[in-house]
Each structure stands twice: as C-alpha cells, then as structure tokens.
Amino acid sequence: MSRNPDWVKALQPSSPQGHELLQQERSSSKLAIEPLSEFLFGREAIERKFNVLQVLQSEPVFNKSQNAFDGRVQRFETALARAKKLRRLVVKHGWKEEDRRIAAELIGEPLPYALHEGMFLKTLLEQGTDEQRKLFYERAEKYEIIGCYAQTELGHGSNVRGLETTATWNADDKTFTLHSPYLTASKWWIGTLGRTANYAAVMAQLIVDGKSCGPHPFVVQIRDLKTHLPLDNIHIGDIGPKFGYNTMDNGFLLFNKVKIPHVSMLARFSRVDPKTNQYIRPSSPSLVYGTLTWIRSTIVMHAGAALAKGVTIAVRYCAIRRQFRDMDAPDSVVEEMPVLNYTLVQYRLLPLLAATFGLHFTGKAMMELYQENQKSMQANAGKGDLLPDLHAMSCGLKALASYTAAEGLEVCRRACGGHGYSSFSGVGGFYADYVPTTTWEGDNYMLTQQVARYLLKSARAVLNGESTSNDTTNFLTTFRSRSDSAPVFDVLNFDADLVQAFAWRAASMTFDALKKRDDQKMAWNDLLVDFYRLSKAHSQYLVVKNFFESLSALQTAGSLGTETPAVFRKLFQLYTLHTLDSESSDFLLSGAVTVRQIEQSRTTIMRLMKEIRPHAVRLVDAWGISDFQLDSSLGRYDGKVYEDMFHRASELNPLNGITIDSNPNSDVLFRSVGGENVKSKL
Amino acid sequence: MSRNPDWVKALQPSSPQGHELLQQERSSSKLAIEPLSEFLFGREAIERKFNVLQVLQSEPVFNKSQNAFDGRVQRFETALARAKKLRRLVVKHGWKEEDRRIAAELIGEPLPYALHEGMFLKTLLEQGTDEQRKLFYERAEKYEIIGCYAQTELGHGSNVRGLETTATWNADDKTFTLHSPYLTASKWWIGTLGRTANYAAVMAQLIVDGKSCGPHPFVVQIRDLKTHLPLDNIHIGDIGPKFGYNTMDNGFLLFNKVKIPHVSMLARFSRVDPKTNQYIRPSSPSLVYGTLTWIRSTIVMHAGAALAKGVTIAVRYCAIRRQFRDMDAPDSVVEEMPVLNYTLVQYRLLPLLAATFGLHFTGKAMMELYQENQKSMQANAGKGDLLPDLHAMSCGLKALASYTAAEGLEVCRRACGGHGYSSFSGVGGFYADYVPTTTWEGDNYMLTQQVARYLLKSARAVLNGESTSNDTTNFLTTFRSRSDSAPVFDVLNFDADLVQAFAWRAASMTFDALKKRDDQKMAWNDLLVDFYRLSKAHSQYLVVKNFFESLSALQTAGSLGTETPAVFRKLFQLYTLHTLDSESSDFLLSGAVTVRQIEQSRTTIMRLMKEIRPHAVRLVDAWGISDFQLDSSLGRYDGKVYEDMFHRASELNPLNGITIDSNPNSDVLFRSVGGENVKSKL
C-alpha cells in the first residue's frame, strides 16, 4: 500500500467524465428498467437479493479489495473465513437455502464448504436410508461433520464405470475394505476435500464375492474430528493451483486397505445384505438420472446471468472509452468516438447481450419443465414421461449454454481492449472461474452424443409411425411431410419462420445422421462430429424457440408498455440471425434458406445493432448486477473507471511497496528498509 | 512441501503406462523427425537452442517447479533474479541477441528487462542522433541504465494522436516541460516501468509556441540511479495483477511539470531548433512504419511455435489418456480408447496441428519478404516498393496468426479434459501470457481496417487499369476477367484449385466492399464488419498459399523421403478444407464452391484426420519443444503424466503444509504448530 502525492490526488480524468457519459446513455433510452427487471426475475427474488447484499456489505470479511493481489494460500485463508462467516449469517438470519445461494453468488468466489453444502448433503439425503440420514445427514446439516463428494479419479473423469477405487465386501466381519490399487485410482479434483472435509462420499467399485457390481457410494470419515489430520492409511491433499477456482481446495485421496462398517454404503437403492452376503440391485435407477438432469438444468438457468456479468462490464466500459474519430467525420470534428459506436465492437457485444436474455428465458423454461416432470413422477410412482426429453434437452442445452457463456466472457474481456486484461476489469476472473463448467457435469463434447442418441431414436420412431407426440417428434414429422416440397422460410420477414428454419435444420440434420448410421452403417466414432453439430443445431433451436415464446409474455405483461417488448423483439432477431449467419452452411445444406437470404441477413444484423445500440446500457442495467458482485473498475455503475483503476494500482498494490535493485551485477533483488536486502535467489 | 508415505510411494499408474503408449505412437509412424526438424528450423538454430538449453538447465534459478505456486510478488522476485542471471550469462558466454532471445523463450516467462532489451534500445538506436546514441544507447547497452518505452496511457491505447502527456518547449531556457494534465494522461501498461526502469522513452505531444506538433519521443530519467526511488514530481508504480504476464512489472507514470534538457527529444527524424525555436518536421516517416511492420512480422513468425506448445501437450496427453470403450466394440472388448482416437478430439486438435505448420511457413515467408524489402530500401534510399503490401500483409497476418494461436491454445487446454485446467498442464499459463498479443502492436480488430484499405486501393487501381503487377493485383485481375463465367473450383481434387478458391473468395469480397464504399457510399463505420471478414479472407488466402508453396520445397528437400511430404500434403489439405468449411458462407456467396462441395469437404476432412492420426505424436515431436520449455505434467516427452501430476500436487504444493480448522463456529482458520493459530480475518 502506498499513498499518492498531493499533485496526483488533484488530477481528474480528461473530459467527458465517465459518470456523465453513462448518465447520457441512460437518458437516451426510455426502457423502463424496474418493471423489466421484475418481469425477468420476479419481485421476490430481487428483494431477497437486496436484503442479502445489505448484510454482506456490512461485513468486513467480504471486502474484495485484496482479492486480486493475494496469492493462493492467502486467498484460500480468506475464502475459508468467508465460508465460516456465511454459515454463521445463515444461522443468525435464518436464511433459506435460496438466500445462501444468492449470498454465495454475490461473494463471487468458490467457497471451501461448497461441495459439502451441495453434493455431499444431496447425496446423503437422496441415497441414504433413514438410518444413514440420521447417522450422517443430520450431523452434516449442522456442520458437525464436513463432507465432499469423491467420484472423479486421477485416471478417470467422465467414465464412472472406469473408476479404479475398490470397496470389497468382507463376509467374515461384515465390513468393506476401501482401497486404491493404483496411483491413477487416486480421487482427484474433489472440491472441499483438499483441506476442508473430514468426511467423504466416495464412489468405489463394489466387489462382492470376487465379482464387481459397479460403482457405488460409501460414506467415510477421512480426517480426525479434533486434530483434523488424515486418518491412518488415508493420504489426502490439495491438488494444486488451477487456471481459476483457486479459492477452492480441490483435493486428492488415496486409501490403503481401509476398513469401514456395513452402514457406510449408502443403501437406499442398492445394498449388500449382511446376512446372505448378496448384492441387491438398484430398484429405480431413473432417480439418479433425475439428479444429473437437475444439475444440468441449473447450469442452463445460470448461464445467462454468468454471461451478463461480462456483458455488463464491457457495455458500460465501451460506452465510456473513446478511441479515434469517426473515419468519415469532417476535419472540424476533433472528438473521439465511444468505442461502443463502432459496428465491429457492437458486432461482438450486442449479440452476446441478446444471448444473455435468450439463455435466461431458456433456463426458466427448462426449470419449469423439470418441475412439471417432478410432479408427474410423484403422481406416477417414479415414472416420468418427460424424462427422456428432459434428459436430452438438459445435455444439449448445458453444452450450448455453458459454451456460449464461457466464450462470451472472453469476448467481453477482449472487447475492453488492454484494460480488459487487468485483474481490475474483473472479467478474466469470471472467465477462469466459469470455464470449468464446460467440462464438469458432463463434458460439453461428450454430452452431444446423448442428444444425438435421443434424436436418432425419435426419428426412428417417426419413421416407424410409433412416435408419441411431443415437440421433437412434431418437428421431425413436419420435416418428413414437407421435405419434398423443400420450403424456403421467409426468415427476414416473419419471426415464426425464423423459428421454423431452426427446427427444419435440426430435423434435416437428424435424418442425415440417421441415414449415415442406420443405412450406411457408419461407425459411431466416425459420426461424432456430425452428432456434435446436430446437438448444437437442436439446442440452438430450443433457445430460439424459448426466446420467441417469451416475446408474447413480454407483450402481455402490461407493465412494460410497448417500447420494451419492441426492443426485445429486435434482440430476439439479432440473436437468431447472428446464429443463422454463424451456422449458415448447416442451414444452406438443409435447404431452409438461400445464399441470398444469408447475404441479406447480414444487412439486417447491421440495422438491428444500430437500433439496439441506444438501449445497451439500460439493458445491462436491467440485469441488476451490483458493483459489489462485479468488483470491476471497468464495469462500475457510476462510470468512474479511471479513478478506480488508478486507485487500485497505485494505492492497494503490494508490489509498489517494494524497491528493487535493477542493476544486473548487483545480487540484491529487493531492497529492504532496516533489514537485510533480499538476494537469496541469486 | 510434504512427503508421501511409503505405501503411496509404492503405487504405479494402472496399465498401460504412459511411456509405453508414447513409445507405441512413435513406432507406429515412420516420419523422420530429425531431418524434418532440420528442414523446418535449420540445423544452426537447433544447435543454438540445444546449447542455450544446456546452460539454462544447469542454473538453479531457472528451475520452474515453484512457478505455479508463487504469488505475484514472489514471481516477480524470481523473474528479476532470472533476468539478472540471463544478462550475466549473455556476458559470460558472449551470447548473441539471437541466443538471448532463445533463452528468454526457453525460460518461458516475461522478464523484467524485456522492454529495455527490446523497445528501449531499439528506439534509442533508430530514433536517436549520434550524440544521443552516445549519451543514452551506449550506457543502456551496457545496462548502466535500464529503460522502457512509455507510449500507451490510461485513457489511450491504440490512438497515438490522442495521447495527453505534453512536452512543451521552453524557448527561454531551451528545455522541455513534461506534464500529465489529467489522470488519464498517466502512462499505463508500460512493461519494465513499474519497478525496474530508471529511464524511459516517453511519447508526448510536443508543443512549440503554443502549437501542437503531434507525439514525439523523449528520453527521461525517472528514478535515482542510487536509491532507485522516483525523482521529484514523478509518480511511478506497477499497475497491478493481470490475467497473465504477472512476472512483468507493467507500470504507470505521471509527470508534474518536469523540466528536461533539449537533448532529451530523440531527434533523428524531427527536432526543435534551439536557435530559431522552430519545429522541424520528420524527413522520412516510412522508417518508423517499417519498425511496426517488423514487429508484426515477428508475431506472425512466432505464432506457429506458440501454438505448437499447446498442441504438443494436448496431442501427447490425448494419446495417453483413455476414456470409455469404442461404442461399436463387441462386449468382449474391455479396453478403453485413447482419447486421441475419438474423431471429435481429432477434429479439435489435428486442424490446429496442421495450423502450426501453416503459420510457420507463412511466418518464414513473411520474414523473407521483409528482408527483401529492407534490401530494396537500402538500395533505393529508403523507398521500398514492397512496403504497402508488406504493411497490409503484416497487419492482416498478425491478426489472423495471433488469433489462431490464442484460440488454439485454449482449445488445446480444454481438449485435455479436467486436467487441462490444472496449472500443471502448462497450457493455461501459455494462453494467459500469449493472449495480449491479440491486442498489442495493433488490436486485431482495428488492424483489419488497414488490410481493407489496401485491398480497396488495389481494386481501384485494377479497375482503373493503373495497377502494378503483384500477387494482390493479379488475383483481383483474374477475378475481374473470369467473374462472368463464374468458375467453380475443383477444391476436392486439385490443391491448386483450393488455393485459387481462397484467392477468388478474397477478390470477390474485395469488390463487394468496394461497391458498398464507392458506389453505395456507405459509411466507413458501417463497413467495419465487412472489412474484418475481408481481412480474414485475405490473410487465410496468404496462409493457404504459403503452406501450398512449401509443399514443393518439402518434396525437393531430398532428405525427407516421400512419406513426410505426403503427410504434409494431407496437413495442408486438412488445414485448408477445415478453414473452407468454417468460412463456408463466404465461399458460397462468392460462388467459388457449391453447397455440395462443402458437404463433401466434411467427408474428406474425416478421411484426412484418420490418415494423419498415426503421425500426430511424431509431428509434435518434430517441433522439438523441450520438457524444460513446456514445464507440463501432461505434455512430458516420456509420458509420465500421472506420476508427475501427483508429485507436484502432493509434494510441492505449499497449501498442503497447512492444517485448517473446518468447524464454522471456530475462529481458528489455520492451525499452526508451536505458534498462534491464524484467525485474524474473522
């Protein structure tokens, strides 16, 4: 920390000032922010967030100003303090799970208890018997024990069946022996395990009477409850620094023939009978299937908000930053243009701004469908008709949504020019912490096979006349019945045609893939690239469809007047035409559009951007992301970008407390005042 | 640091072992690595690199094992020690500039002297008079003074004319006054400035007699040569942490009316006459123009190698990592597939592998052209005919090459699955340190306007029959003469047609843009997206052309036999068809290819990948990137991936030396042995 001399303190940014510019932006659009936010998120959620924010901001431990400077150990220490404080606030204020989740989102860094609060509790609750819930869940809920969910191994991530950790049933003393036969059997990437957890839910290959029964979950104590040291024959540690997520202690875990009692195997669905020593198979595998679908749906739901953080920062800063004069301006104009007025900047940011809303509406629809399915499952003794659709949709949309958000955050960072690269922009950290979402809960590329499998199956049913009616079989049937007449959709004049064109492309690609697989008997592996394209096409159709359907809700909301729905129609068109242009070869191959339409859509995109541009700042304001959450010099609501950048660099940066010796022939590196100079490394 | 218990030390990864798998990969291809490396890089460069590597590896300060764990201040300290040691090695071994650059590349992190060694010395040498060279350059060359190049400001990056720092000529005492009138005038992002430099070459607006004469360079002492503290009325500091590049002290700098003598203004091209107090204009602006072209050419030259680091890591690891069985395999097969056998992994990595070579050949051709131009300029008193072409090519290719390398590195990281996310993969750091290349030396998006301007100008000359013959005017002329007959190129059967199709597309887009600008009088700003596409199209044509031309050199090299050139032909086709497919709408709009050809090219891409796959490991081996340089668990030459990951996480990771208290109700965060527990934050 250092202080600025008086003459520096007296300096102002050159005019126009950032706060004036954002003020102008906000007054040049008549979009009604408050009713729009309320339409998007609901009054209750907005109030809840406001209340949680007030509490967090009054606690010094949540002050983020040192985050950018701290090393890994310091960051973990602070994150642990924050996790503890958050837990105490939950107790103190009687916060619900939803409040806790909002708080974690506002704090904005992965906290060391996260996997305890998420997967560990969920696993105990869903897969434990009543006895096991009493024994483990009740203590875990009160944080008397802290757990994690240990599935992935050093040698195996996606493929659960390939896990190497074993749990061997000992018929003689009615115990299991947990063992890691290879180095690659080490549990790896396990959040909350590295330093924090004293319990783990461990996925291990169950072996009964010499036969493998596949992976099953076991609850195991791993650290002493008093000393917090690992128990005998258990080796645990943090796996080291990562591209992001460094406030989390992702860990490793090895077992050397550790005996655990019979009660350790979570036995709600399958178990070992201690009397007969027989393995008893799971009664309802589809419930587990449901959990994964739920997790993926929340990723879809969250992707719009994740991307909106980057878009908010980039749009605000690009409205303030000025570079160069307009190339066609007369010489008399000396003023530089706000960067956001350049079409090439708009082209990068405005389709992403549109995407935040498209993803938001899609996430909402996805969650509603999930709830609907849960209800129908409860009504039908665990059987949900919607489950196959829901599963496929959640796979494809998880991949598309997380890809869009991750890529988009990086586009936003780069659109901020050099300053986007500074940690004070905030965007780099968001990207680094978000990007693993593209890999976990099903790798985005792997998942596309699930979607393809579902679409091929649906297409086969349509061909055989065996299909039940749903959106997928409907668009496949439509395609079949109309493919001879090869319609070209009027995508530039009718929004409904635009949606139809997306359905047509997905249907056409489905039948192409089916032909290759069923008629030409092509190898599955040789079709993976086709399947990837197909899944993307289908998921893009779903986003476009949900975005389109939300337009009528916007119109009928009443509170929004006419201008807001009109702008959202343009956002829908921009997102959709931009996607169409990016994927044009698919559309052309399917015959849904012509080359001329692609050409014209590019002109339309330029027009739409011009029309959306004046509303850009208000549209990001509608997301309602607080300065506390953004923690960004560039994205400040008040536009005081340069003052904040300078303050952080000059006054908060610990490197500026150090004076070096720059002479290459001097062994001194850092000069210290009143102590020894640092020269140990030379 | 901690130690593994004996039972952990005894563990091995499950079979097959990584080193066996890489051995198999290497023996399944007959590509001759050594002659290939020699063809690509030349024997001299390979030997030079080998010799420098031996020296670096014997110096403990270059041991990289703590890099991933150190915080910013520690990393800077180590980088400073390394910079000093490198300087001493240069003196000790009499290394040439080329050796120093190789060493810096092998060390693999930005070093604090870098801007002194690059831009500061270059600026003094090129823009100083003889007197100034004696005064500044000679001392700087001996590291008696350490400088930086201070151009960019907090409020202005790309637009040099918008700089706010002023240098006002004082006619009375023949001095200049350097001043920062606003906070936004603060120099910002200046490498080597934050902590290291005691001199700076400062770009400031020269004001003579109340009139602005535009930005000019001034050499200024900024820190005391003994105490290293900033001089009076100068405020300097490090700008804080960044997304990458954290071993560099990018700095800020403010002046409060600092007087400097007349000799401070670098006066080779323009100056203030102290007798008449008149400003004298630059004699030859094109020389400065030449420097930027040189810098951009080196970026093109370097992009292939930068990308190759990521591709090497990803290809080797994906040859070792196994997940899932082949979906079509009979049940009897239990073995999992190496990830690199999945076509969806190949689709991500093999076109990038091809791109490394395409970029390498293009960079080489670019440097040769630059040298040719330098010769012709020396022969023609500073006038180079090739300069406009060279300038445009360097702008467009800089943008394409750095974009390809940056995006590609991130694709490589993600292709490594979860482990790609670990710092031990190495790829994340490469990406973070490389990605500013897309912004500096001309923002990639901004630069595309230069290319468009050049192509429009060339097209106007062709239309007016005023063009001189060069490659650009030739393909534009060809397009004009043949556009009525609208040829479709046989891109799937003739490589030369493939190159022609790329030229055709670029020409077609050039004339389209010209029509919009000159006939339809569209605003420049409304054409920026078209210009961006046009620049990309032209640069892709250049890469394809250079790649194609290198194929004959490979064939005639003799030493390479027949298999290597045949594989390179496939790499050329893969890169080119993959680009064609990605950009298909441009090609379709230009009429160069048909929809059916796009469809077929996808099939050809799948075939090419299958044929290239067996050579993948040998091809990355040919890049000859040492383990020392990669510093990656995943990319090790010997394939000992899991052993290395585990060793680093378990034994080198400082977080594992800390025991926490995980109870939320305990104020203790870190428990210490024999001291006070850490609980300060709660």
Side-chain angles (χ1 to χ4, degrees), chain A residues 224-287:
Chain A
D224 185 274
L225 293 188
K226 284 209 176 123
T227 64
H228 204 64
L229 295 174
L231 300 182
D232 281 352
N233 290 308
I234 293 181
H235 188 54
I236 322 178
D238 172 273
I239 64 162
K242 297 145 289 188
F243 190 63
Y245 239 73
N246 283 310
T247 52
M248 173 58 82
D249 55 324
N250 296 85
F252 63 81
L253 172 61
L254 282 160
F255 296 100
N256 184 34
K257 297 180 183 148
V258 173
K259 276 210 175 185
I260 53 174
H262 176 260
V263 74
S264 301
M265 180 175 164
L266 290 177
R268 184 157 166 224
F269 301 114
S270 49
R271 59 197 182 87
V272 175
D273 186 323
K275 286 175 193 148
T276 63
N277 297 311
Q278 294 289 307
Y279 169 66
I280 294 156
R281 320 207 137 269
S283 53
S284 172
S286 69
L287 270 169

Side-chain angles (χ1 to χ4, degrees), chain B residues 262-336:
Chain B
H262 176 260
V263 73
S264 301
M265 178 174 163
L266 289 177
R268 184 157 166 224
F269 300 115
S270 49
R271 59 197 182 88
V272 175
D273 186 324
K275 286 174 194 151
T276 62
N277 297 311
Q278 295 289 307
Y279 169 66
I280 294 155
R281 321 206 137 267
S283 52
S284 171
S286 68
L287 270 169
V288 180
Y289 200 52
T291 304
L292 275 173
T293 302
W294 180 80
I295 292 173
R296 287 183 195 129
S297 303
T298 61
I299 291 175
V300 178
M301 181 68 212
H302 184 249
L307 177 56
K309 292 190 288 187
V311 174
T312 299
I313 293 169
V315 164
R316 285 182 185 156
Y317 176 54
C318 288
I320 291 169
R321 181 181 180 214
R322 319 198 137 209
Q323 295 283 300
F324 295 103
R325 297 162 54 245
D326 181 355
M327 204 65 83
D328 290 325
D331 287 348
S332 59
V333 174
V334 293
E335 264 194 3
E336 294 181 294

